[in-house]
Amino acid sequence: MQWRPDWLDAGAHRIPVRIYRPGPRPYGWLVWAHGGSWQAGSVEHWHGPVADLARTSGCTVVSTGYRLAPGYRHPAQLEDVLTALSWAGEQAADGEPLAVGGDSAGGTIAACAALARRDRDQSLAAQVLAYPPLDPDCAATSYTSEPGAFPAADDLRLAWETYRDGIETAVRGGTPLYSTPLAAERLDGLAPAVLAVGDLDPVRDDVTEYARLLREAGNTLRLKIFPGTPHAAFLAAGGPGAGNPGLRRWLGTALREQLERRKETP
């Protein structure tokens, strides 16, 4: 595994990234947005899990930071991830696929990035979403079915308010930038989705409902619900070395299979 830190020029600020290359011949690029309720997290703190994801997926992974709330509100976070995606696309060889992904709040941003790329006619090979919270009201049954489970609905509602500051959708260059994909008027024509969530996760119903909506809109998707698994499982350690817990391993394997199918398609 080779990795290096870098900074992307975003005009008035710089975006921290770490680039992971799993061996001499990786295939495809994945831009990964970390979690942290849109207010915390960093590429440094996500180093081990993202490196593990790169090993499992076999593609080059760009772990990207982004401006954090409350200092910066939506759509700053999404704009930074879109900048990282544009940069990664420029680095990829001709015909090499580009994907976006993220865990928790980063998964929410990644889902919205997939929508923005669709609306800009910029292709993506996949969107890889680990337990993204999607409903700012946190109204689903799963938010109350496991007392004491993280994240608590009240805390997550406050995180949504801090992140959005009353802005559900912004517009930049004629493109709507959604704070949640549930705000989009249409969900067709999106990159194939890989979704994972634990059955003990308060955001479980958000994820399963989004999977239903994506499927009804005609999108390709894979959804796996992990038994006995809480929120933040992407960060969990286990096994030798840096760890390779089941949820993270499944995400990487599902992405690798998706990219390989694309490679084999004439």
Side-chain angles (χ1 to χ4, degrees), residues 1 3 20 22 46-56 61 242:
M1 168 66 64
W3 72 275
Y20 300 84
W46 261 247
H47 174 80
V50 175
D52 194 34
L53 180 66
R55 278 189 289 267
T56 306
V61 178

Side-chain angles (χ1 to χ4, degrees), residues 19-236:
I19 300 102
Y20 300 84
R21 293 182 65 84
R25 301 179 67 181
Y27 178 71
W29 287 68
L30 169 67
V31 171
W32 190 264
H34 63 76
S37 298
W38 307 283
Q39 301 170 76
S42 67
V43 295
E44 292 83 8
H45 290 154
W46 261 247
H47 174 80
V50 175
D52 194 34
L53 180 66
R55 278 189 289 267
T56 306
S57 66
C59 67
T60 300
V61 178
V62 180
S63 179
T64 184
Y66 48 84
R67 289 168 289 175
L68 299 173
Y72 298 92
R73 313 292 186 137
H74 173 73
Q77 295 80 358
L78 176 54
E79 289 178 312
D80 287 352
V81 172
L82 289 169
T83 295
L85 275 167
S86 294
W87 179 85
E90 292 169 357
Q91 312 310 306
D94 287 346
E96 197 174 11
L98 173 66
V100 68
D103 58 292
S104 194
T108 314
I109 298 169
C112 295
L115 280 158
R117 295 276 300 194
R118 178 203 65 183
D119 293 340
R120 292 173 174 173
D121 294 323
Q122 298 171 332
S123 65
L124 283 176
Q127 51 177 322
V128 184
L129 312 177
Y131 45 84
L134 300 171
D135 176 18
D137 293 329
C138 305
T141 302
S142 59
Y143 282 99
T144 55
S145 60
E146 297 291 336
F150 171 81
D154 287 345
D155 293 339
L156 192 52
R157 276 191 288 267
L158 179 59
W160 275 106
E161 292 169 7
T162 302
Y163 166 49
R164 304 202 305 172
D165 195 28
I167 301 174
E168 179 182 86
T169 303
V171 178
R172 297 291 185 269
T175 301
L177 300 182
Y178 303 104
S179 59
T180 168
L182 299 183
E185 294 183 1
R186 40 181 284 265
L187 293 173
D188 59 297
L190 288 168
V194 175
L195 299 97
V197 68
D199 66 347
L200 303 180
D201 193 327
V203 309
R204 181 194 65 230
D205 290 351
D206 285 10
V207 175
T208 56
E209 173 65 7
Y210 191 50
R212 183 187 69 80
L213 293 172
L214 288 174
R215 187 175 286 111
E216 286 186 354
N219 299 287
T220 300
L221 69 91
R222 294 179 65 179
L223 167 67
K224 186 171 178 64
I225 302 172
F226 286 79
T229 302
H231 198 73
F234 179 81
L235 299 176

